[in-house]
Amino acid sequence: MFATALRNNKEVDSIPKDLFGAIEAIKQELNAVILAHYYQEADIQDIADYIGDSLGLSQKAASTDADVIVFAGVHFMAETAKILNPEKLVLLPDLDAGCSLADSCPPAEFAAFKAAHPGHLVVSYINCSAEIKAMSDIICTSSNSVKIVNQIPPDQPIIFAPDKNLGRYVMEQTGRDLLLWEGSCIVHETFSEKKIVQLQIQHPEAEVIAHPECETSVLRHAQYIGSTTALLKYCQSSSSQEFIVATEPGIIYQMEKEAPAKSFIPAPPEANCACNECPHMRLNTLEKLYLAMKNRRPEITMAEDIRVAALRPIQRMLELS
Ligand code: 13P
Ligand code: SF4
């Protein structure tokens, strides 16, 4: 386990004082690019060459000419980069950085679900394993799901997997009847509608902005719904000065950077906990990122037949986006 490796004193001792400088030096040596998601800790966002949402990160991974991709995100994101770049070394700082949503769609059960509904086109949210992608016709992200479903002929039945909340949102936006896989994200389901409404009463000028992975009970209070990149752009362009942010709070670091005069209130979880922070994303740290680059591991690998089958629906997404 890589987390255990970090606890090994020798490796901890070998972490340099100037981590930023050391990472930059190895980056040059490896001809590497560091891609990071907005839910990563602030230091990782600062050292990244590119920060983005799942679509932006896939597009960067598809176009990079670096030899090594260091992916500061979760497993399915790094896996997508590997599917697009079989010849490149793709590193993930902590291999245990998974995703509850991807885990909510086991391949064998999904294969049976698909077999039980012949004639359906399978549109899968990118938050799924390579095996699920391999069983899909088109991949989508939160920023292009509506656009992609709108391009499918109206009489074509569609299975939408694995996020039921994003699926319901797409149904509402497109007027299409989608057959939903009942998966969800533990982080986006944690927000409390009651506490959001209380915050709105305390901050009457604030706009609620939300990620479409949130439940309908939260989305109905949102003035704006979008992917992480879309939420970030909206905060910059909106005339509002205050926002209640219903997504993982890691993105607030970029919001404060991009719009320093505005204030951002994280939407509170149901319980008194930090469960609005993604436990998977937060497994990555700057130290683990350094060690991954230094040791050239942990590396993303997969069976070639799965990779080839998973590539086709990702390419369709990139064409349709
Ligand atoms: P986007 O950044 O694509 O909006 O996705 C959010 C997310 O849950 C990533 O795991
Ligand atoms: Fe997965 Fe949710 Fe974490 Fe995103 S926030 S990586 S969907 S568990």
Side-chain angles (χ1 to χ4, degrees):
M1 213 75 334
F2 195 66
T4 317
L6 185 59
R7 275 183 235 117
N8 175 314
N9 281 343
K10 269 198 194 137
E11 281 204 309
V12 173
D13 286 347
S14 73
I15 291 173
K17 290 231 161 12
D18 178 14
L19 257 185
F20 279 82
I23 290 170
E24 282 300 339
I26 309 180
K27 200 175 85 179
Q28 301 305 323
E29 189 193 317
L30 294 178
N31 185 28
V33 65
I34 302 175
L35 306 182
H37 190 265
Y38 297 113
Y39 298 164
Q40 294 292 282
E41 63 179 30
D43 280 347
I44 293 183
Q45 294 191 36
D46 282 344
I47 197 124
D49 296 301
Y50 175 81
I51 319 169
D53 64 4
S54 307
L55 179 63
L57 287 164
S58 310
Q59 287 167 330
K60 273 283 163 203
S63 65
T64 184
D65 55 11
D67 296 319
V68 176
I69 298 175
V70 184
F71 214 112
V74 288
H75 193 275
F76 76 80
M77 295 179 170
E79 205 172 49
T80 303
K82 184 67 181 179
I83 293 166
L84 288 160
N85 296 283
E87 76 295 348
K88 294 190 200 295
L89 176 65
V90 178
L91 301 171
L92 181 64
D94 191 321
L95 260 196
D96 288 343
C99 168
S100 66
L101 181 50
D103 291 346
S104 69
C105 195
E109 288 171 37
F110 187 70
F113 180 75
K114 195 181 151 182
H117 300 97
H120 284 67
L121 194 88
V122 178
V123 178
S124 294
Y125 188 32
I126 197 163
N127 298 38
C128 64
S129 64
E131 287 82 359
I132 300 296
K133 289 185 175 77
M135 286 184 248
S136 306
D137 295 295
I138 314 177
I139 299 303
C140 70
T141 75
S142 54
S143 63
N144 60 19
S145 51
V146 170
K147 187 175 177 185
I148 283 179
V149 169
N150 271 333
Q151 292 178 70
I152 298 169
D155 54 349
Q156 170 63 57
I158 300 172
I159 289 176
F160 189 92
D163 188 10
K164 63 178 179 188
N165 292 315
L166 177 65
R168 280 195 199 112
Y169 172 73
V170 174
M171 281 169 77
E172 197 190 283
Q173 295 295 307
T174 61
R176 296 288 292 259
D177 188 20
L178 308 177
L179 182 59
L180 301 181
W181 179 265
E182 291 283 311
S184 60
C185 157
I186 47 163
V187 176
H188 287 87
E189 284 206 327
T190 198
F191 298 115
S192 157
E193 180 192 12
K194 185 178 161 79
K195 290 184 184 173
I196 289 173
V197 173
Q198 284 168 348
L199 271 178
Q200 283 182 295
I201 294 166
Q202 287 161 21
H203 301 267
E205 304 297 322
E207 280 192 273
V208 176
I209 58 172
H211 194 279
E213 284 177 24
C214 293
E215 291 177 309
T216 310
S217 59
V218 166
L219 293 183
R220 69 166 152 255
H221 298 284
Q223 277 81 51
Y224 184 78
I225 297 167
S227 77
T228 49
T229 295
L231 295 177
L232 182 61
K233 285 189 183 151
Y234 182 75
C235 292
Q236 292 167 262
S237 63
S238 165
S239 58
S240 296
Q241 295 302 306
E242 211 174 10
F243 300 88
I244 298 165
V245 182
T247 192
E248 214 272 6
I251 194 169
I252 292 179
Y253 180 63
Q254 284 306 317
M255 290 174 170
E256 287 172 341
K257 267 183 145 178
E258 300 288 345
K262 300 186 178 184
S263 52
F264 303 95
I265 307 162
E270 197 75 60
N272 289 328
C273 59
C275 29
N276 55 342
E277 286 187 4
C278 175
H280 309 287
M281 287 276 183
R282 303 296 177 128
L283 280 178
N284 294 327
T285 61
L286 196 65
E287 290 78 8
K288 288 182 194 173
L289 187 136
Y290 163 75
L291 288 174
M293 293 176 75
K294 182 171 160 265
N295 300 327
R296 280 71 156 157
R297 67 177 169 84
E299 178 190 356
I300 300 289
T301 57
M302 78 196 69
E304 182 61 7
D305 57 335
I306 298 282
R307 188 196 71 78
V308 171
L311 178 61
R312 189 182 38 90
I314 296 173
Q315 282 174 331
R316 276 193 92 183
M317 169 187 81
L318 295 172
E319 286 155 22
L320 295 174
S321 294

